[in-house]
């Protein structure tokens, strides 16, 4: 696989910043730490022979079983996974970057988990990160204008979280 | 002006307000192509800043996807880009097939190419018609819709629906094409080919249209990539990239054995590929690029769509021959409660408006754990703000129209 050379470069350069590499998956992915994310992304955008110059999609996946019986059966602790789908116009290659972060920075105070924003690497990330913030509740540090994009500004909660509950009422409109 | 002139009734220009003004456009403005709201800050006639507000058509498609099986989600993909629902169906179907590692028979492959390219023509016809409408030309819209109606009639015969088809499903298609359908389709294509030059007379070479679109909203290739623009918006800037050629194997193998060109102006000569001339054997000349046009402006984005229609005609002609030569099954759709394997798959396809991506994460149930739709228009719309800074207020519809956004796909 052609990604092997890239992964070697990544490991040499970032060491512990690279957590897991899974080249045998349907889409090859590399898991990095939140603190190394920006540097890895900048490296990937400019690296010779690959040039991941386009950020196609940013997704947040909420890993949480609200049913305690189901939660016992799985081998992961609740967390949020951010998935960055990258591709290259120049070399036509694709790569997936993953970052795992906790579900809350401080759950009692409802403080959102934090991750550095990649808006400085790819401008398109500004809207994608706003959408992730809006629907999954992730705070992107360094984002130029982090506010809701699809939901109204005064909406409460983060709809794509697994423990989200639909409000019963919104400005006099019945929710259920 | 001094206040002393106020008493003189002939002086009308006293106390002129020269400050900036906020103008609201939409969400019901006809030239915003759906429910898009633009907040504009203007300095006289010049737009100094712009912010798009979206979300008026948000229907929680991704959340709904977590509560439905893969097969049940197909109708929701129709309602994303409702002008190219077949292409949306295809994107979802291929993503699920990628996760299941399921292959579609040869006949199903040609059927998909045939149907999707027909939908691409229908979609580009709407883009062309409404773009004329945005700029005040009403007649091209009627010509475009006349032809589109005929495509919709054909789709109605194939699947019973005119707009939200749910025809292409994971595993294949809900039904084979009816007997005699391909003959009707080639009859339509033969007539349609002769009509395409009419559109160029109506819009492409129209002096007013050229004046309104050339040199407006110039998007550089570098900026287009940085802002994640795809499809005709990206190719209008001269970037040679089309997923039907450069995409993943699962998608490009659909087009194996087909002959067509990526429509994109050569960055050095500014010329477009000339293969469309082959479609017109009676020596019809395609209009040249006007001298005022700059690569990446509204005119180029429009022209790329017009030439893509011709490439789709080429593809349809080939696929009809290939489809008719096939026998056997077109591919049965997967079961309604088909369990998905643990894993995840992401696939992008070249929809008429750009790269439409679907992402499925499964934990082994028949309902996906997470569904994500990467909308092409979402990224394409974001570039409006930088493109509109410094243009005339009247040119804002020209820029937004040239991006050809569909709000159903942006808001999902």
């Amino acid at each position: 696989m052609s990604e092997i050379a890239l992964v070697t470069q990544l490991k040499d350069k970032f060491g512990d910043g690279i957590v897991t590499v899974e080249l045998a998956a349907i889409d090859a992915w590399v898991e990095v730490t939140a603190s190394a994310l920006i540097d890895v992304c900048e490296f990937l955008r400019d690296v010779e022979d690959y040039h991941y110059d386009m950020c196609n999609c940013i997704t947040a996946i909420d890993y949480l079983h609200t049913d305690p019986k189901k939660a016992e059966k799985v081998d992961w602790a609740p967390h949020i996974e951010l998935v960055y789908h990258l591709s290259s116009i120049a070399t036509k290659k694709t790569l997936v970057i993953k970052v795992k972060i906790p579900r809350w920075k401080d759950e009692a105070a409802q403080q959102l988990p934090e991750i550095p924003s990649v808006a400085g690497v790819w401008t398109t990330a500004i809207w994608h990160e706003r959408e992730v913030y809006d629907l999954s509740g992730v705070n992107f540090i360094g984002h130029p204008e982090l506010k809701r994009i699809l939901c109204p500004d005064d909406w409460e909660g983060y709809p794509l979280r697994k423990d989200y509950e639909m409000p019963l009422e919104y400005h006099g409109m019945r929710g259920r | 002006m001094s206040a002393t002139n106020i008493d003189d009734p002939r002086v009308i220009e006293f106390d002129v307000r020269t400050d900036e003004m906020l103008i609201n456009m939409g969400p019901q403005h006809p030239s915003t192509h759906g429910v898009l709201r633009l907040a504009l800050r203007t300095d006289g006639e010049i737009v100094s800043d712009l912010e798009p507000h979206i979300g008026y058509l948000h229907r929680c498609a991704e959340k709904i996807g977590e509560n439905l099986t893969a097969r049940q989600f197909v109708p929701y993909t129709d309602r994303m880009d409702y002008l190219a629902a077949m292409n949306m169906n295809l994107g979802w179907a291929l993503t699920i097939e990628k996760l299941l590692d399921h292959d579609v028979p040869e006949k199903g492959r040609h059927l998909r190419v045939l149907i999707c390219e027909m939908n691409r023509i229908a979609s580009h016809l709407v883009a062309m018609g409404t773009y004329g409408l945005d700029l005040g030309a009403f007649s091209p819209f009627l010509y475009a819709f006349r032809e589109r109606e005929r495509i919709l009639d054909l789709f109605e015969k194939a699947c019973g629906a005119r707009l939200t088809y749910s025809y292409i499903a994971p595993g294949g298609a809900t039904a084979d094409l009816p007997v005699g359908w391909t003959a009707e389709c080639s009859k339509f294509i033969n007539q349609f080919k002769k009509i395409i030059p009419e559109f160029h007379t109506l819009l492409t070479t129209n002096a007013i249209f050229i004046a309104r679109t050339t040199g407006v909203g110039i998007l550089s290739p570098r900026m287009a990539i940085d802002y994640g623009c795809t499809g005709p918006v990206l190719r209008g800037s001269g970037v040679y990239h089309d997923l039907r050629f450069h995409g993943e194997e699962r998608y490009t193998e659909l087009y194996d054995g087909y002959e067509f060109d990526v429509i994109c102006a050569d960055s050095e000569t500014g010329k477009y590929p000339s293969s469309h001339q082959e479609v017109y054997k009676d020596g019809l000349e395609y209009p040249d690029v006007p001298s005022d046009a700059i690569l990446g402006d509204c005119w180029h984005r429009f022209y790329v769509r017009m030439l893509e229609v011709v490439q789709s005609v080429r593809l349809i002609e080939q696929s009809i021959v290939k489809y008719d030569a096939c026998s056997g099954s077109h591919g049965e759709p997967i079961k309604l409660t088909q369990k998905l394997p643990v894993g995840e798959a992401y696939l992008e396809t070249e929809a008429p408006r750009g790269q439409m991506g679907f992402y499925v994460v499964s934990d082994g149930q028949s309902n996906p754990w997470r569904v994500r739709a990467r909308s092409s228009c979402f990224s394409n719309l974001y570039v409006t703000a930088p493109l509109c800074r410094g243009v005339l207020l009247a040119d804002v519809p020209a820029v937004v129209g040239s991006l050809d956004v569909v709000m159903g796909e942006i808001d999902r």
Side-chain angles (χ1 to χ4, degrees), chain A residues 26-27 29 53-65 76 81 83 85 88-89 92 98 121-124 126-128 130-131 135-136 145 147 149-151 159-162 164, chain B residues 51-56 58 62-63 66 98-99 224-230 234 239-241 246 248 344-346 348 355 359 361 363 368-370 372 374 378-379 381-382 410-412:
Chain A
I26 298 177
D27 296 307
W29 54 268
D53 46 13
M54 187 178 275
C55 177
N56 295 56
C57 188
I58 301 178
T59 315
I61 310 168
D62 186 14
Y63 281 99
L64 172 79
H65 269 304
W76 40 257
E81 191 173 280
V83 187
H85 286 98
S88 167
I89 300 280
K92 318 295 179 200
K98 291 188 179 187
V121 188
W122 302 283
T123 313
T124 179
I126 293 180
W127 267 27
H128 278 106
R130 270 178 71 184
E131 190 184 329
L135 301 180
S136 301
E145 45 160 3
K147 54 181 183 183
I149 187 165
L150 293 176
C151 296
L160 281 177
R161 290 213 171 190
K162 293 283 178 184
Y164 175 74
Chain B
E51 193 186 356
H53 291 273
I54 60 172
Y56 293 93
H58 180 50
E62 293 178 7
K63 187 81 177 173
E66 294 175 7
K98 182 176 175 183
L99 186 63
I225 295 169
D226 190 33
Y227 275 78
C229 296
T230 47
L234 181 68
V239 180
Y240 185 81
H241 187 74
H246 306 121
E248 266 181 58
E344 53 187 70
Y346 180 79
E348 284 194 357
Q355 297 176 12
Y359 181 43
V361 182
D363 64 340
W369 179 261
R370 176 80 161 91
R372 175 85 163 100
R374 186 262 182 207
F378 185 82
S379 301
L381 180 69
Y382 183 41
I410 293 172
D411 295 340
R412 287 153 283 150

Side-chain angles (χ1 to χ4, degrees), chain A residues 3 5-11 13-14 18 29-32 36-54 84-91 93-98 118 121-122:
Chain A
E3 277 91 3
L6 178 70
V7 167
T8 322
Q9 277 191 63
L10 276 172
K11 277 184 174 161
K13 200 165 162 61
F14 297 102
I18 310 296
W29 54 268
V30 176
E31 191 195 327
V32 305
L37 178 67
I38 299 277
D39 292 336
V40 171
C41 286
E42 272 186 350
F43 172 77
L44 288 172
R45 183 193 60 188
D46 301 328
V47 63
E48 217 178 317
D49 298 336
Y50 293 93
H51 288 295
Y52 293 103
D53 46 13
M54 187 178 275
Y84 299 77
H85 286 98
L86 312 179
S87 71
S88 167
I89 300 280
T91 63
K93 286 181 163 67
T94 58
L95 187 71
V96 184
I97 297 291
K98 291 188 179 187
V118 294
V121 188
W122 302 283

Side-chain angles (χ1 to χ4, degrees), chain B residues 159-182:
Chain B
C159 68
R162 293 178 68 82
L163 210 59
T164 48
Y165 312 109
S166 304
Y167 182 54
I168 297 169
T174 47
D176 203 350
L177 292 173
V179 178
W181 195 90
T182 46

Side-chain angles (χ1 to χ4, degrees), chain B residues 293-309:
Chain B
I294 302 164
L295 194 61
D297 66 4
C298 294
W299 190 90
H300 275 279
R301 285 194 281 278
F302 166 83
Y303 196 50
V304 163
R305 289 196 190 92
M306 292 307 291
L307 294 189
E308 277 187 14
V309 166

